[in-house]
Amino acid sequence: MVLSRFWYVLLGLLFGASLFLLHIASSMYNRAGLRARAEGLSADAQVVSWYLRDDARQRSAQLIPFALESDVAKYLQKSNESEAKVPEDARGKLTQALQRVSAQIPKDAGFDSVFAVDQNGRVVAYVGYEQASGMEDFELGGYPVVADALHGYVRDDTLVLDRMYRVVARPVEFDLAAMPAGAIVGARVIDDRFARELSQRTGAAVAFYANGQRAAAASPAEFNTANLDAIVGDLTDLEQDKDYREKGRSAVREIGGMIAVQYTRLPGEAWQLGAGYAVARMPAAVSGPLGFFSKADDKDKKAGNLPLAILAAVLAAGLGILFSFLEHTRPLRVFKLEAAKFAAGTIEQLTPSHFRGLFRKIASDVNDGVDKQLAKGGGPRRGPADFKQVLGDIPDQPVMSAFSLPGDAQDSAASAPGSGAVSVPMNSAASGQGAGRPLPSPPGSAPRRLPRPPGAAPAAAPAAPAAHLEATMPEGGLNEWGSGAADESEWHDVFRDFVATKKQCGETVDGFTYEKFAERLRKNRDALVQRHGAKRVKFGVYVKDGKAALKANPIKE
Amino acid sequence: MKPPFGQRLPATSGTRWGRACGWVALLTALVPASAEAARLRGRVDGVRNLLNPVWAEARDPKQHGYSFREPVATVRAEFRRLFPHAPKEICIAALAPAPQKAPPPVLVRVGGGRTTPVTIVVPPGTRLTFQNTDPFKHRLHGVSIPTFQPADTVRGATREWSVPGAGVFEIRDELAPSLRMWVVGDPNVAAIAYPSMKGDFALSVEQPGEYTVQAFFAGKKIGPALPVTVKDADLDLSKTPLKLADEKAAVAADKAEVEKAKSEADSDAKQGGEK
């Protein structure tokens, strides 16, 4: 059992070590995940910032065709000359010019809205901003981005108006010796389309927010965009973040254990309005050792080398089974076979040298126990008594004349020794076809004593049919055999019972006399008394296999 | 001829009606006092030497107002100074020696990232009507003014507020940081006017007498106070323009600003290099 036990201990140690390692691994994984997530979020935020700046620069370049369009400068200058009201023809011509130039700009590089603003800050013409339809006094001159453009600067801004806009503006010059005639302003709405475009180009999950609401969101395919809605509940606490308040970029914040987010203010007026964007990533953490299973994707599972794991498991299980077989099953089987031989009497005792370990000791103890019991003369045998073992070899029919009739020798021979019962056919040869034919027995009938039939003649047995004599210990014990006397006076009763039973069983009793019967009983009694030292033998009648039979009970009193 | 207070209403049907009512009320108030108003014509000079405080603040990189801001080479440097838009931001007031009666409600347009006018000088008790001319809402409020708390004004809607007393009151918009307006409460103001882009202005005073012409910008007095005596006839002050700011001072300020920006840029570069 040493190998098995060693193996169990080893397996236990391996299991414990595996569990410990898994806990360590999950902790390390979570810590590394946190660090990687923070770095990833910072990278995402930086990339989005760069993208916004680069996008603004690229789009500001798209304003040059507007500024160089002769009609734009011309009609802005015309509008400047009329401080009271924008000339209608200037509006029309400028609108046409804006539409003309807009049509030439590639769609992905263009604007959602373009405004032409004169020196007074009035919007002389625009395209793509239908909210201002019918508003003759619509102007933009107060915004710093437009003012800067009117003063000769090109720059960007983020405005929060009816929606959030990324805006670029540049001056429009009519006379280089004079102040710019006006400014051209291009705006892109920050909506889901904008966010989607940004997400596709940067790979970041990004959401824009303003006025405490999410304005737009988009994310890569593996990220559920709906998760970004969670930032709305976090915005109220955002101003408490020192980094966000002072530097415009928050620390990494985890929302409800679902996503990790980093907020960044948008440049421009939106900065002061608390508008910005959030980049998010799913937390790469496992809740415990088993969390790896739920987190692992197909790629991870492929890298898991499942065949090696299965091979190791099979080898470990095989070794365990082998050790168990060698140290448990095989010795037990050897012991079992040896015990079976011992039980069958093939061997006189168990051979300890055939066994190993504990089984050797057990065999030795069993042998010692048997020897001691034999030295005591053996204990009482429990269970049915073997009549043959008790009586010894019972003589065949010629000897047992009391139980047989002339010509019954062949039937007697049919009753083989060792069958557990001594059968002595009693029917005569004259009975003809009746010989050996069993009488029907009630189904499930057990050996029992039959009451004597009323009026039955005890000795009037004209012909004795085949009778069976069997020594069997009844299940009810010896008490059922009555308190009969030890002399032959009982045998008349036994004879009457036997004859009556034979008749009931349909056997013939012709020629079956008490003398023969008594002589047979006497011989058997003597044999039993001699063999077992019994004081007397009590006989009883019962039915076996549909025929009357006798049972002998040696009594040691 | 412009009304003595306030600006023209936007040319929509609603505002036209409001403007007409304003005119009627103003004429009703002024006609019994005088049969004919005198006009003071004048001119301001040095507007381009001023600096719009809102825009100047927005250009500061520390304000994070942009991700890039670059001058266009073809625009001359003199135009790059962020001088104010005089027709909205320079208020010329005629100050009488005695307190004046509050005029009818004055319309203030709110739109385009600013108010029109940006600075206004009125007697205390003057009611100002703020009208939203943008296609989106504004949320005006007075800075430390209990009677002017933040409230939404949707597209085309108006909001009333009366000047509570003498002093300077600043109006802001919670939804548009660039929007800042200054209301100067002066009991002696008799008339106000706004110069054109060229700097010309015309004040209409109803009563002959001694007045002081003073320019206001961003809630403060700028330039010299010009005393005038108004009689029945119009008065032309163009020959002695109001010099609002000194060019040398402006140039020096610009230089200082450039030097400051340069040193900050160098400092940032140095810090970046160290990192």
Side-chain angles (χ1 to χ4, degrees):
Chain A
M1 298 295 282
V2 174
L3 282 176
S4 299
R5 286 175 183 170
F6 174 76
W7 190 242
Y8 297 149
V9 170
L10 189 63
L11 286 181
L13 287 173
L14 282 175
F15 178 73
S18 302
L19 205 60
F20 182 66
L21 278 174
L22 277 172
H23 276 286
I24 290 177
S26 62
S27 173
M28 290 176 65
Y29 175 82
N30 288 345
R31 194 168 67 249
L34 272 176
R35 188 168 59 245
R37 190 180 58 188
E39 291 171 357
L41 282 171
S42 292
D44 287 349
Q46 194 62 49
V47 167
V48 170
S49 174
W50 288 336
Y51 174 85
L52 291 172
R53 183 184 303 179
D54 182 64
D55 183 67
R57 281 186 176 276
Q58 296 287 338
R59 289 181 198 279
S60 71
Q62 298 298 333
L63 291 177
I64 293 174
F66 290 100
L68 295 179
E69 167 67 39
S70 59
D71 277 356
V72 173
K74 178 182 173 185
Y75 286 101
L76 280 176
Q77 183 62 25
K78 188 173 183 180
S79 177
N80 292 335
E81 292 166 0
S82 174
E83 285 190 44
K85 190 176 186 296
V86 175
E88 284 303 320
D89 64 327
R91 284 189 191 278
K93 294 289 185 183
L94 261 175
T95 303
Q96 290 175 8
L98 294 181
Q99 290 170 340
R100 198 165 49 244
V101 178
S102 292
Q104 295 170 1
I105 298 176
K107 211 168 185 179
D108 59 344
F111 301 96
D112 295 316
S113 308
V114 179
F115 307 89
V117 183
D118 68 7
Q119 285 180 354
N120 293 297
R122 299 175 300 192
V123 177
V124 181
Y126 60 85
V127 290
Y129 194 72
E130 304 313 315
Q131 298 95 310
S133 294
M135 300 179 69
E136 293 179 0
D137 293 336
F138 181 46
E139 66 168 276
L140 292 172
Y143 294 105
V145 61
V146 180
D148 268 350
L150 290 173
H151 289 83
Y153 289 88
V154 55
R155 59 163 277 194
D156 69 331
D157 202 339
T158 309
L159 300 179
V160 183
L161 308 177
D162 53 332
R163 303 170 79 177
M164 197 152 49
Y165 296 88
R166 283 288 290 158
V167 175
V168 287
R170 67 172 299 119
V172 177
E173 295 176 273
F174 180 73
D175 179 2
L176 294 182
M179 196 178 165
I184 194 83
V185 181
R188 281 207 70 190
V189 181
I190 296 180
D191 54 5
D192 285 343
R193 184 171 60 93
F194 180 88
R196 198 159 44 245
E197 190 177 307
L198 191 156
S199 180
Q200 284 171 355
R201 296 189 179 180
T202 63
V206 62
F208 291 90
Y209 56 89
N211 300 321
Q213 299 293 322
R214 183 177 71 78
S219 62
E222 65 272 14
F223 190 98
N224 186 358
T225 308
N227 285 333
L228 291 168
D229 291 340
I231 67 167
V232 175
D234 196 39
L235 291 176
T236 51
D237 298 331
L238 190 55
E239 287 296 333
Q240 309 299 322
D241 190 299
K242 188 182 174 187
D243 289 341
Y244 182 74
R245 203 171 54 244
E246 294 178 357
K247 300 175 184 173
R249 182 165 295 169
S250 75
V252 174
R253 298 163 67 91
E254 196 164 302
I255 305 177
M258 295 193 310
I259 55 171
V261 182
Q262 189 170 37
Y263 299 90
T264 306
R265 290 181 190 267
L266 278 166
E269 273 205 359
W271 183 286
Q272 297 179 54
L273 293 172
Y277 61 87
V279 290
R281 289 196 174 200
M282 301 300 287
V286 292
S287 55
L290 296 179
F292 287 108
F293 290 106
S294 56
K295 287 287 180 186
D297 58 12
D298 290 341
K299 196 182 288 182
D300 297 327
K301 288 170 185 171
K302 276 183 184 174
N305 203 343
L306 188 62
L308 182 64
I310 292 173
L311 182 65
V314 168
L315 280 176
L319 276 174
I321 291 170
L322 178 64
F323 293 155
S324 172
F325 175 78
L326 290 176
E327 297 187 330
H328 179 76
T329 308
R330 189 168 170 273
L332 195 62
R333 187 171 294 170
V334 171
F335 190 82
K336 179 188 170 189
L337 291 174
E338 193 79 359
K341 287 179 185 174
F342 185 53
T346 310
I347 56 176
E348 292 182 350
Q349 61 176 8
L350 297 172
T351 310
S353 61
H354 290 177
F355 312 118
R356 291 186 306 177
L358 191 61
F359 291 99
R360 180 176 294 178
K361 178 74 167 58
I362 293 172
S364 178
D365 289 346
V366 168
N367 287 339
D368 291 347
V370 169
D371 290 344
K372 287 175 182 174
Q373 289 299 321
L374 289 175
K376 288 180 184 176
R381 190 175 186 278
R382 304 181 65 180
D386 187 347
F387 187 68
K388 183 178 178 183
Q389 198 173 30
V390 173
L391 299 180
D393 292 335
I394 297 174
D396 286 338
Q397 179 59 30
V399 180
M400 302 277 292
S401 57
F403 289 88
S404 63
L405 294 175
D408 285 347
Q410 68 278 16
D411 287 337
S412 175
S415 180
S419 62
V422 177
S423 172
V424 181
M426 295 248 183
N427 57 334
S428 64
S431 62
Q433 68 279 13
R437 186 181 64 186
L439 294 175
S441 169
S445 63
R448 60 186 177 86
R449 296 184 64 187
L450 294 178
R452 182 188 301 167
H468 297 268
L469 176 62
E470 191 174 39
T472 318
M473 187 73 75
E475 291 181 3
L478 300 175
N479 294 335
E480 285 192 16
W481 289 82
S483 61
D487 56 19
E488 297 179 1
S489 60
E490 294 177 337
W491 291 359
H492 291 283
D493 292 338
V494 176
F495 176 75
R496 282 194 293 273
D497 287 346
F498 189 73
V499 171
T501 302
K502 287 176 74 73
K503 287 179 178 175
Q504 281 185 343
C505 294
E507 296 179 72
T508 177
V509 293
D510 295 341
F512 186 65
T513 63
Y514 174 75
E515 287 71 23
K516 290 180 180 177
F517 179 78
E519 184 181 356
R520 177 61 191 270
L521 289 191
R522 197 173 295 117
K523 287 180 180 177
N524 280 286
R525 181 196 62 189
D526 295 343
L528 287 170
V529 167
Q530 185 179 2
R531 175 165 295 183
H532 295 285
K535 285 190 174 180
R536 63 189 183 94
V537 176
K538 184 180 176 77
F539 295 95
V541 181
Y542 75 104
V543 176
K544 183 180 180 184
D545 297 335
K547 292 183 177 178
L550 284 175
K551 290 182 178 177
N553 182 27
I555 296 172
K556 296 179 178 178
E557 288 181 343
Chain B
M1 179 176 163
K2 290 185 178 180
F5 291 97
Q7 295 296 300
R8 297 175 61 185
L9 291 164
T12 60
S13 59
T15 52
R16 282 194 196 102
W17 173 248
R19 186 169 59 192
C21 291
W23 272 107
V24 169
L26 183 60
L27 290 173
T28 305
L30 296 179
V31 165
S34 174
E36 191 175 340
R39 290 172 69 87
L40 293 175
R41 296 180 185 279
R43 193 162 63 87
V44 293
D45 195 11
V47 172
R48 292 184 180 179
N49 297 327
L50 295 172
L51 197 61
N52 181 303
V54 176
W55 299 340
E57 186 180 295
R59 73 178 175 182
D60 186 351
K62 291 178 180 173
Q63 295 295 319
H64 308 283
Y66 49 83
S67 61
F68 75 96
R69 179 178 184 269
E70 294 164 357
V72 175
T74 53
V75 177
R76 291 166 58 176
E78 63 183 281
F79 302 125
R80 289 185 197 150
R81 187 180 299 134
L82 294 174
F83 51 81
H85 183 57
K88 294 176 187 290
E89 300 184 53
I90 308 293
C91 181
I92 312 297
L95 304 174
Q100 302 292 304
K101 191 179 176 182
V106 178
L107 181 70
V108 178
R109 291 185 302 159
V110 181
R114 61 187 169 193
T115 58
T116 303
V118 176
T119 292
I120 189 169
V121 185
V122 291
T126 303
R127 179 180 294 178
L128 302 181
T129 302
F130 297 90
Q131 184 181 37
N132 182 2
T133 60
D134 272 333
F136 42 84
K137 68 180 180 183
H138 286 278
R139 191 176 297 154
L140 300 175
H141 67 100
V143 178
S144 302
I145 304 173
T147 56
F148 202 174
Q149 293 297 313
D152 285 351
T153 306
V154 297
R155 172 182 180 166
T158 59
R159 186 179 177 190
E160 306 267 327
W161 177 67
S162 293
V163 181
V168 179
F169 304 93
E170 185 177 353
I171 310 300
R172 288 197 176 195
D173 183 359
E174 283 190 348
L175 304 181
S178 64
L179 191 151
R180 293 172 72 183
M181 178 190 180
W182 290 270
V183 179
V184 180
D186 190 327
N188 295 343
V189 63
I192 58 171
Y194 291 88
S196 68
M197 289 289 281
K198 293 177 181 176
D200 299 329
F201 66 88
L203 284 162
S204 295
V205 292
E206 305 303 329
Q207 298 288 341
E210 302 291 328
Y211 290 93
T212 302
V213 177
Q214 176 70 58
F216 289 83
F217 170 64
K220 298 173 185 171
K221 290 180 182 176
I222 52 166
L226 182 64
V228 294
T229 301
V230 177
K231 297 178 180 176
D232 292 337
D234 291 350
L235 196 62
D236 190 359
L237 307 172
S238 303
K239 292 177 182 175
T240 54
L242 289 171
K243 196 169 185 180
L244 302 181
D246 183 52
E247 188 173 358
K248 287 183 180 175
V251 170
D254 285 348
K255 278 187 177 178
E257 189 68 31
V258 169
E259 289 298 322
K260 183 185 172 187
K262 194 177 177 183
S263 65
E264 285 179 352
D266 290 345
S267 175
D268 290 345
K270 194 176 180 182
Q271 286 179 355
E274 287 174 354
K275 287 179 182 176

